[in-house]
Amino acid sequence: MLTRVAVLALDQIAPFELGVLCEVFGTDRTADGFPGYEFAVCSVDGGPVRTRSGFSISPHADLAPLATADLVAVPAHPLSCDAAPAAVEALRAAAARGAWVMSVCSGAFLLGQAGLLDGRRCTTHWNHAALLRERHPTAQVVPDELYVQDGRIITSAGTAAGIDACLHLVRQVHGSAVATKLARRMVVPPHRAGGQSQFIEAPIPDAVACETLQPLLEWLLRHLDQPLTVDDLAGRTHMAPRTFARRFRAETGATPHDWITHQRVLLARRLLEETELTVESVAARTGFGDSATLRHHFNRRLGTTPLTYRQTFRTR
């Protein structure tokens, strides 16, 4: 369940990263059929907070909403920021009672200060990854991914990666249809995998517009049920396999195998949510071949089984 969202605003907060959270969770779109949230921007004492851009914001409340929020989010703030003990404790308490906790960019450092990254996979902006690892040596810092989920802790890289992380959470809680509709409303790609590299020469937008590979990628999305090998795909683009693999990663930020597997998992999720097909049929339709292979990739990427995912979605 996700109905109450609290954003922790610290001094010198980054306005864009704050705006991402406000756009996804703080904008009332219930009239258009979207879920609604009790949304609060919170400061330690409830007073105004300065932004990096020189203006101040007036929060809704002090730390009280963090005690009951289903999601507590921390936008970016200066690395030198030393949060008040009350804010750190409020984060710990939220995580301890099972709330979702999310950071955007350097917000991960506050999660680390609260001890929430100890032993967990996490990420932040690539420029800060080494410092995050230095300050929190028991954290498993993944420096080149857009966002990372470990249990109910989600950390994201800089700026737009926060949008990807938010949509990732919306997809888990409300389903793919809501997340895709929201992405379309925000005019952003409906889903970028967390494992997609932060270093991408030409990111794939919603329309799959890649200068070299666009025709191939559009073809792939229509033929995910077929056996697909790098050699076959390279042949379709008239490239040598090694040249093709390098060009594919440069334009998509992922290897051919990882990109195709990700698209197959997305298709499987949609079929599990929207159809009555058996798991075996879903596996065949998505190119995994059999239910065992589908379960393997589903569990590896989503941490659950296809059947559990379907039951959870229908309960929702």
Side-chain angles (χ1 to χ4, degrees), residues 11 19 51 54 66 88 93 105 120 125 130 141 157 169 180 183 191 231 236 242 279 302 305 309:
D11 191 44
T51 71
L66 274 69
V88 174
C105 194
R120 293 184 182 273
H125 190 286
V141 180
L169 178 56
T180 301
H191 192 250
D231 287 349
R236 294 187 67 88
R242 288 187 179 181
V279 172
L302 302 178
T305 66
Y309 179 85

Side-chain angles (χ1 to χ4, degrees), residues 223-228 264 267 282-290 293:
H223 297 85
L224 291 173
D225 60 325
Q226 299 183 11
L228 302 168
R264 283 173 166 165
L267 177 57
V282 170
R285 292 276 190 99
T286 54
F288 285 119
D290 56 57
T293 304

Side-chain angles (χ1 to χ4, degrees), residues 16-190:
F16 183 92
E17 282 77 357
L18 172 62
V20 165
L21 296 164
C22 293
E23 178 68 20
V24 176
F25 300 109
T27 301
D28 186 359
R29 297 189 175 95
T30 53
D32 295 325
F34 288 97
Y37 307 100
E38 296 177 27
F39 181 80
V41 176
C42 309
S43 65
V44 174
D45 59 1
V49 174
R50 292 175 297 170
T51 71
R52 289 182 184 175
S53 300
F55 61 88
S56 296
I57 61 171
S58 297
H60 298 99
D62 58 14
L63 297 176
L66 274 69
T68 57
D70 305 307
L71 165 65
V72 176
V74 184
H77 55 267
L79 301 182
S80 59
C81 175
D82 187 19
V88 174
E89 184 53 41
L91 274 177
R92 290 194 188 113
R97 62 180 172 77
W100 291 98
V101 178
M102 175 189 294
S103 66
V104 182
C105 194
S106 60
F109 284 80
L110 181 54
L111 270 58
Q113 187 179 342
L116 302 184
L117 302 184
D118 295 346
R120 293 184 182 273
R121 296 180 72 253
C122 59
T123 194
T124 186
H125 190 286
W126 61 267
N127 199 38
H128 306 321
L131 181 60
L132 183 65
R133 185 182 292 111
E134 178 184 332
R135 289 189 181 180
H136 307 287
T138 63
Q140 301 172 30
V141 180
V142 183
D144 59 351
E145 297 193 2
L146 294 177
Y147 58 87
V148 172
Q149 177 180 342
D150 191 321
R152 294 176 77 86
I153 307 293
I154 301 175
T155 52
S156 67
T159 317
I163 300 174
D164 299 311
C166 289
L167 291 175
H168 170 71
L169 178 56
V170 169
R171 180 172 286 101
Q172 287 192 72
V173 176
H174 301 301
S176 296
V178 172
T180 301
K181 182 180 177 182
L182 179 58
R184 187 179 302 117
R185 181 67 173 269
M186 295 172 60
V187 197
V188 296

